[in-house]
Amino acid sequence: MWQGLINKYRKYLPVTDKTPIITLCEGNTPLIKSVFLPQYLGKKLNIYFKYEGLNPTGSFKDRGMTMAISKAVEKGMKAVMCASTGNTSASASAYAARAGIASFVLIPEGKIALGKLAQAMMHGATVIELEGNFDEALKMVCAVTENYPIELVNSINPFRIEGQKTASFEIVDALGVAPDYHSLPVGNAGNITAYWKGYNEYFEISKKLPKMIGFQAAGSAPIYFDKVIEKPETVATAIRIGNPASWKQAVAARDESGGFIDIVTDEEILDAFKLLAEKEGVFCEPASAASIAGIIKRKDIFKDGDTIVCTLTGHGLKDPDNAILKSSKPIKVKNSLSDLIKVIGL
Ligand code: AN7
Protein backbone atom coordinates (compact mmCIF):
# COMPACT_ATOMS: atom_id res chain seq x y z
CA MET A 1 0.00 0.00 0.00
CA TRP A 2 1.31 3.44 -0.92
CA GLN A 3 1.92 5.35 2.31
CA GLY A 4 3.35 8.57 0.96
CA LEU A 5 6.72 9.64 -0.31
CA ILE A 6 8.52 9.86 3.05
CA ASN A 7 7.81 6.22 3.67
CA LYS A 8 8.95 5.27 0.18
CA TYR A 9 12.12 7.37 -0.01
CA ARG A 10 12.97 7.51 3.70
CA LYS A 11 16.65 6.72 3.22
CA TYR A 12 17.11 9.83 1.06
CA LEU A 13 15.26 12.12 3.47
CA PRO A 14 16.21 13.80 6.76
CA VAL A 15 13.74 11.89 8.95
CA THR A 16 14.27 9.55 11.89
CA ASP A 17 12.12 7.07 13.78
CA LYS A 18 11.16 9.99 16.01
CA THR A 19 9.76 12.11 13.18
CA PRO A 20 5.95 12.02 13.20
CA ILE A 21 5.03 11.48 9.56
CA ILE A 22 2.21 13.80 8.53
CA THR A 23 1.01 12.41 5.22
CA LEU A 24 -1.96 12.47 2.87
CA CYS A 25 -0.37 9.77 0.69
CA GLU A 26 1.18 12.34 -1.65
CA GLY A 27 3.55 11.40 -4.46
CA ASN A 28 3.42 8.35 -6.75
CA THR A 29 1.92 10.55 -9.47
CA PRO A 30 1.61 9.19 -13.01
CA LEU A 31 4.05 9.78 -15.80
CA ILE A 32 1.71 10.06 -18.77
CA LYS A 33 3.12 9.58 -22.25
CA SER A 34 2.15 12.26 -24.74
CA VAL A 35 0.25 11.02 -27.78
CA PHE A 36 -0.19 14.33 -29.58
CA LEU A 37 2.88 16.50 -29.10
CA PRO A 38 5.50 14.44 -30.99
CA GLN A 39 3.28 14.42 -34.06
CA TYR A 40 2.48 18.14 -33.57
CA LEU A 41 6.18 18.98 -33.31
CA GLY A 42 7.03 16.66 -36.22
CA LYS A 43 9.69 14.67 -34.37
CA LYS A 44 10.09 11.23 -32.88
CA LEU A 45 10.19 12.36 -29.28
CA ASN A 46 9.28 10.57 -26.08
CA ILE A 47 7.42 13.24 -24.15
CA TYR A 48 6.02 12.50 -20.72
CA PHE A 49 3.90 14.55 -18.37
CA LYS A 50 4.67 14.21 -14.68
CA TYR A 51 1.12 14.96 -13.60
CA GLU A 52 1.58 16.56 -10.20
CA GLY A 53 -1.99 17.80 -10.23
CA LEU A 54 -2.91 14.35 -8.91
CA ASN A 55 -1.34 14.99 -5.52
CA PRO A 56 -3.80 15.23 -2.58
CA THR A 57 -4.29 19.01 -2.78
CA GLY A 58 -3.79 19.12 -6.53
CA SER A 59 -0.22 20.34 -6.82
CA PHE A 60 3.43 19.38 -6.37
CA LYS A 61 3.57 21.45 -3.19
CA ASP A 62 2.32 18.41 -1.23
CA ARG A 63 5.68 16.71 -1.71
CA GLY A 64 7.47 19.47 0.14
CA MET A 65 4.69 20.02 2.61
CA THR A 66 4.60 16.47 4.00
CA MET A 67 8.26 17.01 4.93
CA ALA A 68 7.95 20.60 6.17
CA ILE A 69 4.91 19.90 8.35
CA SER A 70 6.33 16.63 9.70
CA LYS A 71 9.53 18.42 10.72
CA ALA A 72 7.58 21.36 12.20
CA VAL A 73 5.55 18.95 14.34
CA GLU A 74 8.72 17.10 15.34
CA LYS A 75 10.09 20.44 16.59
CA GLY A 76 6.92 20.99 18.62
CA MET A 77 5.62 23.88 16.52
CA LYS A 78 1.93 24.64 16.89
CA ALA A 79 1.50 26.90 13.84
CA VAL A 80 2.87 27.37 10.34
CA MET A 81 2.83 30.29 7.94
CA CYS A 82 3.49 30.90 4.26
CA ALA A 83 3.20 33.50 1.56
CA SER A 84 1.58 32.06 -1.49
CA THR A 85 0.35 32.52 -5.01
CA GLY A 86 -2.17 29.84 -4.00
CA ASN A 87 -0.89 26.30 -4.13
CA THR A 88 1.47 26.53 -1.19
CA SER A 89 -1.36 27.91 0.92
CA ALA A 90 -3.71 25.11 -0.17
CA SER A 91 -1.12 22.49 0.71
CA ALA A 92 0.08 24.09 3.96
CA SER A 93 -3.46 24.46 5.25
CA ALA A 94 -4.35 20.84 4.41
CA TYR A 95 -1.26 19.35 6.05
CA ALA A 96 -1.61 21.65 9.06
CA ALA A 97 -5.22 20.46 9.41
CA ARG A 98 -3.99 16.88 9.22
CA ALA A 99 -1.43 17.58 11.96
CA GLY A 100 -3.91 19.45 14.13
CA ILE A 101 -1.93 22.69 14.12
CA ALA A 102 -2.80 26.21 12.98
CA SER A 103 -1.94 27.74 9.61
CA PHE A 104 -1.66 31.36 8.49
CA VAL A 105 -1.49 32.13 4.80
CA LEU A 106 -0.64 35.47 3.25
CA ILE A 107 -1.85 35.85 -0.32
CA PRO A 108 -1.53 38.68 -2.85
CA GLU A 109 -4.85 40.51 -2.98
CA GLY A 110 -7.12 39.41 -5.82
CA LYS A 111 -4.43 37.40 -7.57
CA ILE A 112 -4.96 33.80 -6.62
CA ALA A 113 -7.00 31.26 -8.54
CA LEU A 114 -10.44 30.46 -7.14
CA GLY A 115 -9.87 26.76 -6.39
CA LYS A 116 -6.77 27.49 -4.32
CA LEU A 117 -8.53 30.13 -2.25
CA ALA A 118 -11.42 27.71 -1.62
CA GLN A 119 -8.97 25.07 -0.40
CA ALA A 120 -7.20 27.28 2.14
CA MET A 121 -10.55 28.53 3.42
CA MET A 122 -11.99 25.01 3.67
CA HIS A 123 -9.02 23.65 5.59
CA GLY A 124 -9.46 26.32 8.22
CA ALA A 125 -6.39 28.44 7.56
CA THR A 126 -6.39 32.04 8.65
CA VAL A 127 -6.36 33.55 5.17
CA ILE A 128 -4.93 37.05 4.97
CA GLU A 129 -4.93 39.07 1.76
CA LEU A 130 -2.01 41.48 1.55
CA GLU A 131 -2.23 44.71 -0.38
CA GLY A 132 0.87 43.70 -2.26
CA ASN A 133 2.34 40.99 -4.46
CA PHE A 134 3.87 37.60 -3.63
CA ASP A 135 7.41 38.94 -3.16
CA GLU A 136 6.16 41.50 -0.64
CA ALA A 137 4.11 38.83 1.12
CA LEU A 138 7.14 36.54 1.44
CA LYS A 139 9.16 39.35 3.05
CA MET A 140 6.39 39.88 5.59
CA VAL A 141 6.15 36.18 6.37
CA CYS A 142 9.92 36.01 6.95
CA ALA A 143 9.69 38.97 9.31
CA VAL A 144 6.90 37.29 11.31
CA THR A 145 8.42 33.80 11.49
CA GLU A 146 11.88 35.09 12.46
CA ASN A 147 10.40 36.70 15.55
CA TYR A 148 7.50 34.49 16.61
CA PRO A 149 7.07 30.74 17.21
CA ILE A 150 5.51 30.04 13.84
CA GLU A 151 7.24 27.76 11.31
CA LEU A 152 7.86 29.15 7.84
CA VAL A 153 6.77 26.61 5.19
CA ASN A 154 7.72 28.40 1.99
CA SER A 155 10.40 26.70 -0.09
CA ILE A 156 13.20 28.58 1.70
CA ASN A 157 12.43 25.99 4.36
CA PRO A 158 14.98 23.35 3.28
CA PHE A 159 12.63 20.47 4.14
CA ARG A 160 10.34 21.62 1.34
CA ILE A 161 13.11 21.05 -1.21
CA GLU A 162 13.90 17.67 0.35
CA GLY A 163 10.34 16.47 -0.16
CA GLN A 164 10.03 17.89 -3.66
CA LYS A 165 13.20 16.20 -4.91
CA THR A 166 11.39 12.84 -4.72
CA ALA A 167 9.60 13.65 -7.99
CA SER A 168 12.94 13.07 -9.75
CA PHE A 169 13.30 9.72 -8.00
CA GLU A 170 9.88 8.64 -9.21
CA ILE A 171 10.70 9.63 -12.80
CA VAL A 172 13.95 7.64 -12.77
CA ASP A 173 12.17 4.70 -11.13
CA ALA A 174 9.49 4.80 -13.84
CA LEU A 175 11.76 5.27 -16.88
CA GLY A 176 14.72 3.29 -15.58
CA VAL A 177 16.92 6.24 -16.49
CA ALA A 178 16.86 10.04 -16.28
CA PRO A 179 15.33 11.85 -19.29
CA ASP A 180 17.42 13.91 -21.73
CA TYR A 181 15.50 17.07 -20.81
CA HIS A 182 13.38 18.07 -17.87
CA SER A 183 11.03 21.00 -18.51
CA LEU A 184 9.20 22.91 -15.81
CA PRO A 185 7.69 26.29 -14.98
CA VAL A 186 9.78 28.56 -12.77
CA GLY A 187 8.26 30.90 -10.19
CA ASN A 188 9.94 31.10 -6.81
CA ALA A 189 12.42 28.54 -8.25
CA GLY A 190 12.13 25.97 -5.47
CA ASN A 191 10.98 23.18 -7.75
CA ILE A 192 13.76 23.41 -10.34
CA THR A 193 16.18 23.43 -7.40
CA ALA A 194 14.53 20.35 -5.90
CA TYR A 195 14.42 18.35 -9.15
CA TRP A 196 18.08 19.03 -9.83
CA LYS A 197 19.00 17.96 -6.30
CA GLY A 198 16.91 14.81 -6.73
CA TYR A 199 18.48 13.84 -10.05
CA ASN A 200 21.95 14.31 -8.59
CA GLU A 201 21.20 12.24 -5.49
CA TYR A 202 19.77 9.48 -7.66
CA PHE A 203 22.74 9.42 -10.02
CA GLU A 204 23.84 6.06 -8.60
CA ILE A 205 20.64 4.62 -10.07
CA SER A 206 20.08 6.80 -13.15
CA LYS A 207 23.75 7.10 -14.25
CA LYS A 208 22.64 10.15 -16.19
CA LEU A 209 21.52 13.74 -15.58
CA PRO A 210 18.96 15.64 -17.65
CA LYS A 211 19.32 19.16 -18.99
CA MET A 212 17.07 21.32 -16.84
CA ILE A 213 14.96 23.69 -18.93
CA GLY A 214 12.83 26.20 -17.06
CA PHE A 215 10.20 28.60 -18.34
CA GLN A 216 9.09 31.87 -16.79
CA ALA A 217 6.10 33.94 -17.85
CA ALA A 218 7.37 36.81 -20.01
CA GLY A 219 5.92 39.43 -17.63
CA SER A 220 7.41 37.74 -14.55
CA ALA A 221 10.84 36.66 -15.70
CA PRO A 222 13.49 37.91 -13.28
CA ILE A 223 15.92 35.05 -13.91
CA TYR A 224 15.68 35.32 -17.68
CA PHE A 225 16.19 39.09 -17.64
CA ASP A 226 18.65 38.84 -14.74
CA LYS A 227 16.91 41.55 -12.77
CA VAL A 228 14.22 41.83 -10.09
CA ILE A 229 10.80 42.53 -11.61
CA GLU A 230 9.08 45.01 -9.29
CA LYS A 231 5.61 44.56 -10.74
CA PRO A 232 5.38 41.03 -12.15
CA GLU A 233 2.33 40.27 -14.28
CA THR A 234 1.00 37.12 -15.93
CA VAL A 235 -2.25 35.25 -16.42
CA ALA A 236 -0.45 32.30 -14.78
CA THR A 237 -0.85 33.72 -11.27
CA ALA A 238 1.00 30.78 -9.69
CA ILE A 239 4.25 32.07 -11.18
CA ARG A 240 3.58 35.79 -10.82
CA ILE A 241 6.83 36.24 -8.91
CA GLY A 242 9.45 38.95 -9.47
CA ASN A 243 12.21 38.06 -7.01
CA PRO A 244 12.50 34.28 -6.57
CA ALA A 245 13.82 32.99 -3.26
CA SER A 246 15.84 30.20 -4.90
CA TRP A 247 17.21 32.37 -7.71
CA LYS A 248 20.87 31.33 -7.25
CA GLN A 249 20.01 27.64 -6.99
CA ALA A 250 17.93 27.83 -10.17
CA VAL A 251 20.81 29.43 -12.05
CA ALA A 252 23.10 26.68 -10.72
CA ALA A 253 20.67 23.96 -11.86
CA ARG A 254 20.47 25.59 -15.29
CA ASP A 255 24.24 25.96 -15.70
CA GLU A 256 25.39 22.69 -14.10
CA SER A 257 22.94 20.72 -16.24
CA GLY A 258 23.71 22.55 -19.46
CA GLY A 259 20.10 23.68 -19.73
CA PHE A 260 18.48 27.09 -19.99
CA ILE A 261 15.72 29.30 -18.61
CA ASP A 262 13.56 30.95 -21.25
CA ILE A 263 10.32 32.93 -21.34
CA VAL A 264 6.88 32.16 -22.73
CA THR A 265 4.13 34.71 -23.32
CA ASP A 266 0.70 34.54 -21.70
CA GLU A 267 -0.75 33.70 -25.10
CA GLU A 268 1.67 30.79 -25.53
CA ILE A 269 0.85 29.59 -22.00
CA LEU A 270 -2.91 29.67 -22.57
CA ASP A 271 -2.61 27.98 -25.97
CA ALA A 272 -0.58 25.14 -24.42
CA PHE A 273 -3.07 24.94 -21.50
CA LYS A 274 -5.92 24.44 -23.98
CA LEU A 275 -3.98 22.15 -26.31
CA LEU A 276 -3.08 19.81 -23.47
CA ALA A 277 -6.69 19.55 -22.34
CA GLU A 278 -8.10 19.13 -25.86
CA LYS A 279 -5.47 16.97 -27.50
CA GLU A 280 -4.05 14.96 -24.62
CA GLY A 281 -6.97 14.80 -22.20
CA VAL A 282 -4.80 16.28 -19.47
CA PHE A 283 -6.09 19.28 -17.53
CA CYS A 284 -3.41 21.32 -15.78
CA GLU A 285 -3.39 24.89 -14.54
CA PRO A 286 -1.99 27.72 -16.68
CA ALA A 287 1.37 27.98 -14.88
CA SER A 288 1.95 24.26 -15.44
CA ALA A 289 1.37 24.69 -19.17
CA ALA A 290 4.44 26.96 -19.32
CA SER A 291 6.50 23.76 -19.42
CA ILE A 292 4.62 22.70 -22.57
CA ALA A 293 4.58 26.16 -24.16
CA GLY A 294 8.33 26.16 -23.60
CA ILE A 295 9.08 22.90 -25.40
CA ILE A 296 6.84 23.98 -28.27
CA LYS A 297 8.75 27.27 -28.51
CA ARG A 298 12.15 25.55 -28.35
CA LYS A 299 11.28 22.47 -30.45
CA ASP A 300 14.28 22.95 -32.73
CA ILE A 301 16.74 21.91 -30.02
CA PHE A 302 15.26 18.41 -29.71
CA LYS A 303 16.31 15.51 -31.91
CA ASP A 304 14.61 12.24 -32.78
CA GLY A 305 14.79 9.78 -29.91
CA ASP A 306 15.07 12.40 -27.15
CA THR A 307 13.10 11.87 -23.95
CA ILE A 308 11.56 14.97 -22.40
CA VAL A 309 9.70 15.02 -19.10
CA CYS A 310 7.46 18.03 -18.45
CA THR A 311 6.20 18.64 -14.93
CA LEU A 312 2.54 19.60 -14.85
CA THR A 313 2.73 21.25 -11.46
CA GLY A 314 -0.95 21.78 -10.66
CA HIS A 315 -4.44 20.55 -11.57
CA GLY A 316 -6.62 22.44 -14.02
CA LEU A 317 -9.51 22.58 -11.56
CA LYS A 318 -7.48 25.04 -9.51
CA ASP A 319 -8.27 27.79 -11.98
CA PRO A 320 -11.78 27.37 -13.40
CA ASP A 321 -11.96 31.03 -14.45
CA ASN A 322 -9.16 30.75 -17.00
CA ALA A 323 -10.48 27.38 -18.21
CA ILE A 324 -13.88 28.89 -18.94
CA LEU A 325 -12.38 32.01 -20.56
CA LYS A 326 -10.33 29.81 -22.91
CA SER A 327 -13.26 27.59 -23.99
CA SER A 328 -16.47 27.92 -25.95
CA LYS A 329 -19.62 28.46 -23.91
CA PRO A 330 -22.18 25.69 -23.43
CA ILE A 331 -24.84 25.72 -26.17
CA LYS A 332 -28.36 26.43 -24.94
CA VAL A 333 -31.10 24.25 -26.37
CA LYS A 334 -34.87 24.05 -25.92
CA ASN A 335 -36.34 20.90 -24.39
CA SER A 336 -36.85 19.46 -27.90
CA LEU A 337 -35.26 16.40 -29.52
CA SER A 338 -35.18 17.94 -33.00
CA ASP A 339 -33.44 21.09 -31.68
CA LEU A 340 -30.91 18.88 -29.89
CA ILE A 341 -30.21 16.85 -33.05
CA LYS A 342 -29.64 20.10 -34.95
CA VAL A 343 -27.16 21.32 -32.35
CA ILE A 344 -25.21 18.05 -32.54
CA GLY A 345 -25.09 18.55 -36.31
CA LEU A 346 -26.83 15.33 -37.35
C1 AN7 B 1 1.20 25.37 -10.33
O1 AN7 B 1 2.02 28.49 -4.22
O2 AN7 B 1 4.93 29.89 -5.36
O3 AN7 B 1 9.36 27.74 -9.06
O4 AN7 B 1 3.09 30.21 -3.46
O5 AN7 B 1 1.80 26.82 -7.98
O6 AN7 B 1 8.95 26.15 -7.17
O7 AN7 B 1 7.96 28.43 -7.14
C2 AN7 B 1 3.57 28.35 -6.49
C3 AN7 B 1 4.40 28.05 -7.52
C4 AN7 B 1 4.70 26.32 -10.75
C5 AN7 B 1 6.39 27.54 -9.50
N1 AN7 B 1 3.48 25.80 -10.95
O8 AN7 B 1 7.17 26.70 -8.71
C6 AN7 B 1 2.95 29.31 -4.28
C7 AN7 B 1 3.91 29.21 -5.40
C8 AN7 B 1 2.53 25.97 -10.03
C9 AN7 B 1 2.79 26.68 -8.86
C10 AN7 B 1 5.01 27.03 -9.63
C11 AN7 B 1 4.05 27.24 -8.67
P1 AN7 B 1 8.45 27.28 -7.97
Side-chain angles (χ1 to χ4, degrees):
M1 194 174 130
W2 180 262
Q3 290 177 292
L5 57 84
I6 296 179
N7 187 56
K8 168 83 177 179
Y9 294 111
R10 181 174 275 276
K11 72 171 183 173
Y12 296 94
L13 294 169
V15 291
T16 68
D17 292 346
K18 295 200 181 66
T19 312
I21 306 303
I22 311 299
T23 180
L24 290 164
C25 301
E26 58 295 310
N28 197 22
T29 56
L31 197 59
I32 303 173
K33 190 158 191 186
S34 167
V35 288
F36 178 77
L37 280 172
Q39 153 204 341
Y40 181 66
L41 299 178
K43 291 189 183 186
K44 293 195 182 67
L45 301 171
N46 301 301
I47 301 174
Y48 293 91
F49 309 124
K50 182 64 172 161
Y51 194 20
E52 290 289 278
L54 294 190
N55 275 298
T57 78
S59 87
F60 73 97
K61 304 286 182 181
D62 296 341
R63 291 183 185 275
M65 211 54 77
T66 184
M67 276 297 305
I69 301 286
S70 295
K71 296 302 280 189
V73 172
E74 183 178 7
K75 253 169 77 178
M77 302 301 280
K78 297 281 183 261
V80 298
M81 188 171 190
C82 64
S84 182
T85 58
N87 280 325
T88 300
S89 63
S91 186
S93 55
Y95 282 80
R98 183 87 183 165
I101 62 175
S103 59
F104 299 92
V105 309
L106 198 54
I107 56 175
E109 193 182 25
K111 291 290 181 184
I112 85 165
L114 199 63
K116 305 174 189 181
L117 181 61
Q119 288 177 290
M121 291 167 67
M122 266 312 266
H123 290 302
T126 301
V127 180
I128 309 158
E129 279 195 308
L130 183 75
E131 286 177 21
N133 62 31
F134 170 82
D135 305 290
E136 291 158 335
L138 184 55
K139 263 193 210 147
M140 295 282 247
V141 167
C142 290
V144 171
T145 53
E146 272 162 23
N147 292 302
Y148 297 90
I150 303 179
E151 191 75 350
L152 170 93
V153 293
N154 281 101
S155 58
I156 42 182
N157 177 328
F159 297 121
R160 282 276 314 277
I161 304 295
E162 291 299 314
Q164 284 174 213
K165 76 185 180 190
T166 60
S168 298
F169 301 167
E170 289 179 14
I171 290 165
V172 172
D173 285 343
L175 296 177
V177 64
D180 297 298
Y181 294 89
H182 191 112
S183 174
L184 76 178
V186 176
N188 211 24
N191 215 24
I192 190 169
T193 302
Y195 270 95
W196 184 236
K197 187 169 199 285
Y199 281 122
N200 277 281
E201 290 181 12
Y202 230 46
F203 187 76
E204 50 168 332
I205 292 165
S206 67
K207 307 273 186 261
K208 178 178 165 176
L209 293 168
K211 291 183 166 59
M212 300 300 297
I213 58 178
F215 295 95
Q216 300 198 290
S220 304
I223 301 176
Y224 177 80
F225 290 115
D226 198 22
K227 64 165 206 271
V228 172
I229 307 295
E230 297 291 344
K231 292 200 179 338
E233 280 309 336
T234 170
V235 68
T237 50
I239 51 172
R240 186 174 168 270
I241 295 174
N243 189 10
S246 300
W247 191 324
K248 279 203 193 96
Q249 296 90 318
V251 167
R254 176 193 72 189
D255 296 345
E256 288 167 26
S257 73
F260 56 80
I261 290 176
D262 198 353
I263 49 173
V264 283
T265 64
D266 278 3
E267 195 184 349
E268 287 168 329
I269 289 172
L270 290 176
D271 285 350
F273 168 62
K274 184 68 170 159
L275 178 146
L276 216 56
E278 275 194 0
K279 304 293 185 191
E280 302 274 8
V282 178
F283 191 19
C284 67
E285 64 172 284
S288 309
S291 68
I292 305 301
I295 67 163
I296 294 173
K297 176 180 179 185
R298 299 296 297 265
K299 65 174 189 291
D300 292 342
I301 66 167
F302 307 120
K303 53 181 197 319
D304 285 353
D306 279 348
T307 296
I308 309 161
V309 172
C310 303
T311 303
L312 300 180
T313 45
H315 202 287
L317 290 172
K318 295 271 189 178
D319 191 351
D321 294 310
N322 273 310
I324 288 168
L325 276 177
K326 193 66 189 166
S327 307
S328 35
K329 302 236 161 9
I331 305 162
K332 283 208 162 62
V333 65
K334 289 210 175 65
N335 189 3
S336 137
L337 185 59
S338 60
D339 283 13
L340 176 60
I341 299 288
K342 242 185 257 155
V343 166
I344 296 171
L346 298 173

